[in-house]
Every structure is written in structure tokens, then in C-alpha cells.
Amino acid sequence: MKNTVLYLLVSLLLSFSTQASVMNNLKQTPDQDQISIQLNGNDIKILKHMREEEKLARDVYDYFYTKYGLPIFDNISNAEQAHMDRVLTLLNQNGIKDPASSEPGIFNNIELQQLYYDLIAQGDKSVIDALKAGATIEDVDIYDLMKFTKETNNPGIIRIFENLTCGSKNHMRMFIDLLKTYDATYTPQYISEKQFNKIIKGKREKCGLRSGSGMGKQKGKGSGKGSGRGSGGGMGKGRGMGGSRF
């Protein structure tokens, strides 16, 4: 009984924290979306990569939400759509064709395609494995974003990638917090142990990111974040986080 009450309190706190994180991360001055920046060859390469990598995150979370019904997957999937939209905005402003397929689970990047298959296979085993797969996605996301940020001198890309890194750190904290309620842990595979521990010990950050005016989720009806599935406000199958989109 004591453990059940403790679990419920933790889940409710995580739910409220998720809602606050959504509101903070969706704030940004309107004119920032309209900034057109000039891209070189490497800028285009890393933007295309991150467009598909954020799609990978969204598609995997959509799959796990359908399979397990945990709101954390739906919430963070919506946030990943916002990440996709921001990268697409830069590509569109520079007349660059979107590399992302409209089909869930399909990628032009061969390495990301294989990673998608691996993560789905892992998460199919159990809900704990799905949560660990989620932590892995944020792990590689943070690693790549920090790496690509160092590879560009473009202030627009740097600003957006720093915002995306901030959001991914928050997502990592959410997955680790929920894994704890299952008495499970995650070991980083991409970022260093030192970086991982610093993230987990840190507080949720205000990332200054809003969704922009992208294409919306595949199952949505509108623009931006879409109006497809509701995010849900409960804890889903006894565990998980309710709340809104980030």
C-alpha cells in the first residue's frame, strides 16, 4: 500500500512537471520563426540528418504509445513533431527538399532506418524496454545535436540546435524518472557517463522553443502540432505521465 501511494505521488508530480515543461518550451518570440539563414553544404547535411532523426523519435514514440498506452510516449511524440517542424522551417526557407518520408517508420538515412528497427524490436519486449529505448533515442539525440552544433558557425542553426538539445535533456529526465518507478535504470550509450549524470541531476530546463508552423503530426488535422490524438491527462495503465505536449 505504501509503495502504491508513493508511486501515485511520483506519477502525479511528473505529470504536473511535464505540463509546466510544455508551457515553458513552447514560448518563443514570433519573429524568430521568420529568420532566413544562409546554409552551406555541411549545414544542409546536418539539418537533413536531424530532420530524420527527430522523425525517428516521433515514429518510435507513436508506435510505443499505440502498443502500451503510456502518455509519456504521446506527450514526447508531440514535442518531437515540434522539433521536426523547426528543422523543416530552415530547410523550407532555403528551398531545400524535405528528406523525411511521410510514411511512419521509413527513412532515407540507412543508419537511422536500422536504428528504428532496432529500437522497435527492443521496445516490443516489454514496457521497461520501451522506456529504455526512449532514453536511448534522447541519448543519441543529445549526442548528435551537441556534435553538430560544434560543426556549424551558423547562428540560426546553433540557436535551434541548442533549444532542441535542451528539450531532449528534459525528455531524458522524464524517461529516467519513470524508469525509476519500475526499479529500472538506463546506462548511456552515446553521451558520456559524466554528461548523463549531470543531465539527470539537473532540473528541468526552460528551452524557449515553440512548435512553429510545420506540417503537423501525420494523424493530425491541423498545422503545427496537429490535432489528432488527444494527449490524455491520466497515468495510463497504472503508470506513466499525463499532461500536455512536452
Side-chain angles (χ1 to χ4, degrees):
M1 180 65 180
K2 183 178 179 182
N3 289 336
T4 300
V5 172
L6 178 61
Y7 163 73
L8 290 173
L9 288 174
V10 170
S11 296
L12 286 171
L13 287 172
L14 289 174
S15 176
F16 293 141
S17 179
T18 304
Q19 292 177 2
S21 181
V22 173
M23 297 306 296
N24 288 330
N25 287 323
L26 296 184
K27 293 179 181 178
Q28 188 178 36
T29 54
D31 62 332
Q32 284 182 309
D33 278 339
Q34 306 304 320
I35 296 175
S36 181
I37 58 176
Q38 197 168 26
L39 306 177
N40 61 35
N42 189 62
D43 291 338
I44 295 172
K45 179 181 177 181
I46 63 179
L47 284 172
K48 284 184 174 181
H49 183 97
M50 287 313 304
R51 169 70 174 166
E52 285 206 287
E53 189 168 303
E54 299 297 347
K55 178 184 184 296
L56 178 147
R58 185 202 65 184
D59 291 355
V60 171
Y61 297 151
D62 280 345
Y63 179 89
F64 289 154
Y65 178 68
T66 299
K67 184 176 179 68
Y68 296 111
L70 289 183
I72 187 174
F73 291 123
D74 193 36
N75 294 337
I76 299 183
S77 169
N78 287 323
E80 300 300 346
Q81 179 64 58
H83 290 191
M84 287 180 65
D85 290 347
R86 290 311 309 280
V87 176
L88 181 61
T89 296
L90 291 183
L91 293 173
N92 285 343
Q93 287 174 347
N94 289 271
I96 300 166
K97 183 179 179 181
D98 183 10
S101 170
S102 60
E103 295 295 320
I106 301 299
F107 304 89
N108 290 308
N109 184 303
I110 298 175
E111 292 181 357
L112 291 178
Q113 185 68 70
Q114 186 59 54
L115 180 59
Y116 173 83
Y117 290 144
D118 292 343
L119 291 167
I120 293 297
Q122 176 186 350
D124 268 339
K125 297 175 184 177
S126 70
V127 66
I128 292 178
D129 286 303
L131 291 171
K132 288 184 177 181
T136 301
I137 289 173
E138 304 306 331
D139 188 355
V140 68
D141 216 19
I142 293 167
Y143 177 86
D144 282 344
L145 284 165
M146 291 193 303
K147 175 177 177 288
F148 291 150
T149 297
K150 294 178 180 179
E151 292 181 3
T152 181
N153 293 318
N154 193 305
I157 294 178
I158 291 172
R159 184 190 68 244
I160 289 177
F161 279 12
E162 286 177 346
N163 284 336
L164 299 189
T165 302
C166 177
S168 291
K169 288 179 180 179
N170 285 339
H171 300 165
M172 173 72 85
R173 294 181 183 106
M174 293 174 194
F175 280 119
I176 300 306
D177 285 346
L178 193 52
L179 278 168
K180 288 178 181 178
T181 70
Y182 288 88
D183 294 323
T185 59
Y186 172 76
T187 300
Q189 304 174 51
Y190 296 90
I191 61 175
S192 69
E193 190 79 28
K194 182 178 179 180
Q195 289 172 318
F196 174 76
N197 289 332
K198 183 177 180 180
I199 292 169
I200 299 310
K201 292 178 181 178
K203 296 181 179 179
R204 295 228 171 92
E205 304 170 56
K206 297 181 180 180
C207 302
L209 175 66
R210 71 180 178 85
S211 62
S213 54
M215 300 303 293
K217 294 188 72 172
Q218 296 299 320
K219 297 181 181 180
K221 297 179 180 178
S223 63
K225 290 167 286 187
S227 57
R229 301 190 313 266
S231 297
M235 290 180 286
K237 293 188 177 181
R239 294 180 186 257
M241 295 188 290
S244 195
R245 284 190 169 86
F246 227 31

